[in-house]
Amino acid sequence: MNLGLEGKRALVTGGSRGIGRAISLKLAAEGARVMVNYLRKSAPAQEVVARIRADGGEAHAVKANVADEQGMAAIFAQVDEVWGGVDIIVANAASGVLRPITEVTLKHWHWTMDVNAWPLVTLVQGALERMGAGGAVVAISSLGAMRGIPFYSLVGASKAALESLIRQLTVDLSRSGIRFNAVSAGAVDTDALRYFPNRQEILDDFVRRAPAGRTVTPEDVADVVAFLCSERSSMIRGQTIVVDGGYSVRG
């Protein structure tokens, strides 16, 4: 199925590893031009860019911290220089503190919210100046937004805020013609999951309970993101699409 993304200009935050990497590659495979945002390690971002270019696509890397104003300004400065606008934004960059609620501090709270929730606001503010009707913004959430997960209290709260923002943006900016949606991923065995002290328990439980009988791959998530970025999803707005192999439908 042709998604009609040829030539679209796509910015993917946290686009060099894990789910973000899969999204960058999927959008490029569908013909989009991709800007891969990363924070610390240049090599993974450059690898994604090189792979896209080797396949005949257009890709660029931009180093920036989405949690601060200077970082966001740097991202949009490169967008303006290279493209002069943007058609797709995928808010994927994430971080957070994985500790029992009794051990978290106000600093942990601000860190998690500043990386996981607030950047969606500034990304959209920047997009309104550069994205026309028919553009798409997709935020990456997780099941922790609606389910209790050990050690996930702050990250779960930030993802719940992210999903709420998607609904509010859809209502407040309906006249812009931009579509806002989120994708909530089930257990994906990426580098991020390795920070969980109970990682193996999470994976084993997911496989046991999910009707699909396996964990979610980054590519599973990327496929849905690409669909939401296309005009084929034009009547899906303000929604959180769950990609979890049926895990969340079981009590």
Side-chain angles (χ1 to χ4, degrees):
M1 179 175 66
N2 188 326
L3 295 178
L5 299 182
E6 293 86 354
K8 296 292 185 181
R9 301 161 298 182
L11 166 64
V12 183
T13 68
S16 64
R17 296 189 296 174
I19 292 173
R21 179 181 186 275
I23 292 169
S24 296
L25 294 175
K26 175 63 178 179
L27 293 177
E30 293 291 338
R33 296 175 280 171
V34 182
M35 188 164 293
V36 180
N37 161 248
Y38 70 100
L39 177 56
R40 293 186 179 88
K41 296 181 179 180
S42 173
Q46 297 302 332
E47 185 275 329
V48 173
V49 168
R51 177 168 169 180
I52 292 172
R53 290 176 177 174
D55 290 337
E58 178 186 334
H60 311 271
V62 55
K63 179 179 181 178
N65 182 357
V66 298
D68 65 50
E69 293 181 356
Q70 290 183 336
M72 201 63 75
I75 289 174
F76 282 115
Q78 183 152 336
V79 166
D80 292 341
E81 179 181 351
V82 175
W83 294 329
V86 66
D87 305 297
I88 294 166
I89 291 179
V90 181
N92 170 73
S95 185
V97 178
L98 300 172
R99 294 187 181 185
I101 193 67
T102 53
E103 297 179 10
V104 299
T105 66
L106 182 59
K107 180 179 179 180
H108 295 149
W109 172 267
H110 284 302
W111 172 18
T112 306
M113 288 293 178
D114 287 352
V115 175
N116 295 355
W118 173 248
L120 179 60
V121 176
T122 51
L123 283 167
V124 170
Q125 289 172 341
L128 291 174
E129 303 174 10
R130 300 166 174 87
M131 182 184 289
V137 175
V138 180
I140 305 303
S141 186
S142 72
L143 294 183
M146 63 179 181
R147 300 177 70 93
I149 299 175
F151 310 109
Y152 206 69
S153 56
L154 297 192
V155 180
S158 70
K159 293 298 189 179
L162 195 70
E163 293 183 14
S164 178
L165 279 169
I166 286 294
R167 293 188 290 270
Q168 300 303 323
L169 290 166
T170 298
V171 173
D172 290 348
L173 302 178
S174 59
R175 293 184 179 179
S176 70
I178 299 171
R179 302 186 306 279
F180 302 93
N181 290 291
V183 174
S184 177
V188 185
D189 192 10
T190 62
D191 288 344
L193 194 65
R194 295 187 175 97
Y195 289 99
F196 281 74
N198 58 334
R199 168 185 169 274
Q200 195 58 51
E201 179 184 344
I202 290 173
L203 293 173
D204 292 344
D205 177 71
F206 193 91
V207 172
R208 178 176 59 83
R209 291 169 56 86
R214 64 172 177 85
T215 56
V216 180
T217 68
E219 290 72 24
D220 292 328
V221 181
D223 286 343
V224 177
V225 171
F227 172 69
L228 291 175
C229 291
S230 76
E231 287 289 345
R232 292 180 179 271
S233 65
S234 62
M235 289 302 287
I236 302 176
R237 302 189 182 221
Q239 302 301 311
T240 297
I241 308 300
V242 178
V243 182
D244 70 348
Y247 176 88
S248 59
V249 304
R250 304 191 68 159

